[in-house]
Amino acid sequence: MDDATGPPWWKRYWLVGALIAPLLIMGAWELLTGGGKGVPVVGAGALSVLRAEDAPEGARYQLRLRAHEEVAGTRARIEEAVTEWPDVLVFGFDGSALGSEADEEAMRAAYGALAAQVENAAGVPVIVGPTATTGAPERPAVERVAAWLRDGLCVQGRYRVCVDLAPHGADPRALREAVAAGVRDGFARHDALQASTQVGR
């Protein structure tokens, strides 16, 4: 029962606290994560030059990159990222991992399977062509896989974004901007994908 001075302060202001608490939690989360939509960037090769601050406005890179890695290892890490159901997922392979015809076939199979997995998870794949770390010589197999991506895999789905880093050579700044442009395109296509799946459309 209340005394002459009224109920305790926490009883008088519980509604205000209930309204403010979620805002404080969201603000703390934004501060902790840096804001923006999370974009997993998973792969190896030239992608490893990316930094968190290279993300375009409204995005936050979740970098899982290695300078050198075999196809199977990269594929496993990308598949793990797909299970997080990201709106946009950037992935690419290390071109220096192409040492044989079997490697080339494994990389093509991985690119195709991963693009489909991201789409099946209602996301947009940003597919980065295979490249070695900046400054490393490219192999003929890299160009063959890149040509297959351009003329085959990348034209098979309207919500796929493909980024070819080969024209940018050893310029890390150009590489970063090319990936950022791909991410911006990926978000635009994801918005279009969501609009196309809404009831009544």
Side-chain angles (χ1 to χ4, degrees):
M1 178 176 277
D2 295 340
D3 59 22
T5 61
W9 68 269
W10 57 270
K11 284 189 177 179
R12 288 179 290 191
Y13 299 108
W14 71 269
L15 184 57
V16 174
L19 294 172
I20 292 176
L23 297 175
L24 291 174
I25 292 170
M26 288 190 308
W29 178 252
E30 290 284 316
L31 189 63
L32 183 67
T33 63
K37 289 185 179 179
V39 178
V41 184
V42 190
L47 269 178
S48 62
V49 304
L50 290 182
R51 306 163 304 183
E53 59 267 30
D54 297 326
E57 187 176 348
R60 175 176 39 86
Y61 284 164
Q62 299 166 338
L63 301 174
R64 304 166 199 179
L65 303 170
R66 296 183 181 166
H68 302 288
E69 187 174 41
E70 296 301 314
V71 174
T74 305
R75 179 174 179 169
R77 293 190 305 109
I78 298 166
E79 287 177 333
E80 183 179 345
V82 175
T83 65
E84 299 167 16
W85 291 70
D87 291 347
V88 173
L89 191 150
V90 180
F91 67 89
F93 290 88
D94 179 9
S96 62
L98 293 171
S100 67
E101 191 173 323
D103 293 334
E104 195 173 330
E105 287 304 313
M107 188 175 286
R108 286 183 184 176
Y111 270 120
L114 291 164
Q117 287 174 32
V118 175
E119 290 171 332
N120 290 340
V124 170
V126 177
I127 304 163
V128 179
T131 48
T133 52
T134 56
E138 295 291 5
R139 303 177 182 192
V142 170
E143 177 49 37
R144 288 195 297 271
V145 174
W148 171 78
L149 286 173
R150 281 192 307 269
D151 303 330
L153 184 69
C154 292
V155 297
Q156 293 173 9
R158 67 187 279 205
Y159 299 112
R160 292 177 183 175
V161 177
C162 285
V163 178
D164 186 1
L165 297 182
H168 306 295
D171 183 353
R173 188 172 171 182
L175 294 173
R176 292 169 181 139
E177 180 47 42
V179 174
V183 170
R184 287 190 289 268
D185 190 3
F187 277 122
R189 294 191 194 206
H190 187 264
D191 289 344
L193 174 63
Q194 285 190 312
S196 72
T197 58
Q198 289 176 1
V199 176
R201 295 222 172 220

